[in-house]
Amino acid sequence: MTVQNLPPAVASGIRLAVLDMNGTTVIDGGAAERAIGDALREFGVAGERLEAALVTSRRSAGLDRAEVFDRLFPDDVATARAAFRSFGAAYDAMILSGCIRAVPGAEAAVHMLRDHGVKVCLATGFGRHTQNSVLEALGWMGLADLSLCSEDAGRGRPFPDMVLTAVLALDIEDVRQVLVAGDTTADITSALRAGAGAAVGVLTGAQPAHELRAAGATAVVRSVADLPALLWGREAVAAV
């Protein structure tokens, strides 16, 4: 896939990149889905009901994980909350066991963005403790200017809250100066609802290019590692 530059007027104005974590900057080898399955089984979901629940979870890629459990237990808020906590514990254990790895080139891309004067926010639909566990596992504490989870902003994707919270926290003058990158249609929808200047889909995670484009992606690239080239061209990046 050839990386097409963003229009110069858009690229030159980008001052903040809001980057999704799981599936965009981070890969967990399917650990999150396994942890969801473990949590559902703990609360008596099995057989065809379990398979249907996992399908619902996959279709909810990119959403706040608490929201996913609300969808899986729509008539039982207490069980939804308890299952979400169980998921968090199971996933944290998997992180400690070494399931997390960085998308190749992601760390270098973050450094290059910041070297070019673009602030970076790492955003996730997981809880704060889980986000910190991932950042610690990768040695990424302090890598970005800011890290945000859904609970920090009030609502997760597809709402625009995390993008807008990053804009306020990092003193960005205009939301059109923001590039959002993610692997799900929820990421793209969140970016568009916030009014971001660029909503970029990446192909290292949950959803294929045609779904990201149908959601309104400004551009689709193979990986978050392609963002510097998308903004400034391969020649400019190679010269750094």
Side-chain angles (χ1 to χ4, degrees):
M1 177 184 290
T2 301
V3 177
Q4 301 293 326
N5 294 4
L6 290 175
V10 174
S12 64
I14 296 298
R15 297 291 178 267
L16 168 63
V18 178
L19 310 180
D20 171 52
M21 292 185 66
N22 201 24
T24 301
T25 54
V26 173
I27 295 172
D28 68 5
E33 183 168 317
R34 293 195 298 275
I36 289 172
D38 289 348
L40 292 173
R41 281 186 285 270
E42 180 179 339
F43 286 86
V45 180
E48 291 183 2
R49 186 178 170 219
L50 175 61
E51 290 304 314
L54 290 174
V55 169
T56 298
S57 174
R58 292 181 201 115
R59 289 174 178 167
S60 303
L63 300 184
D64 182 340
R65 292 294 93 182
E67 170 68 17
V68 172
F69 281 95
D70 288 342
R71 293 185 178 192
L72 295 174
F73 297 98
D75 302 316
D76 191 341
V77 174
T79 297
R81 298 295 91 195
F84 174 62
R85 290 192 295 272
S86 177
F87 157 76
Y91 193 47
D92 286 349
M94 293 177 186
I95 293 170
L96 288 173
S97 74
C99 72
I100 296 292
R101 63 185 178 90
V103 167
E107 186 170 343
V110 171
H111 284 302
M112 193 168 295
L113 288 166
R114 296 184 74 185
D115 288 346
H116 276 75
V118 177
K119 295 179 180 180
V120 176
C121 171
L122 295 174
T124 185
F126 294 128
R128 166 54 58 190
H129 183 270
T130 298
Q131 184 176 39
N132 285 345
S133 295
V134 171
L135 294 173
E136 288 172 359
L138 294 172
W140 280 11
M141 285 293 189
L143 173 67
D145 297 276
L146 179 68
S147 65
L148 285 177
C149 63
S150 302
E151 61 199 64
D152 296 328
R155 297 180 299 180
R157 308 177 189 105
F159 297 103
D161 300 33
M162 282 198 288
V163 177
L164 298 176
T165 298
V167 166
L168 293 171
L170 294 172
D171 275 337
I172 302 303
E173 294 181 359
D174 190 328
V175 75
R176 290 172 295 184
Q177 296 174 324
V178 179
L179 177 151
V180 177
D183 64 301
T184 70
T185 57
D187 292 299
I188 302 303
T189 300
S190 175
L192 297 176
R193 288 178 175 178
V200 180
V202 303
L203 300 179
T204 49
Q207 293 181 278
H210 72 273
E211 292 182 2
L212 296 169
R213 291 193 181 98
T218 309
V220 176
V221 295
R222 287 170 296 187
S223 165
V224 69
D226 292 320
L227 290 183
L230 183 72
L231 286 169
W232 305 299
R234 292 203 179 278
E235 295 79 8
V237 172
V240 174

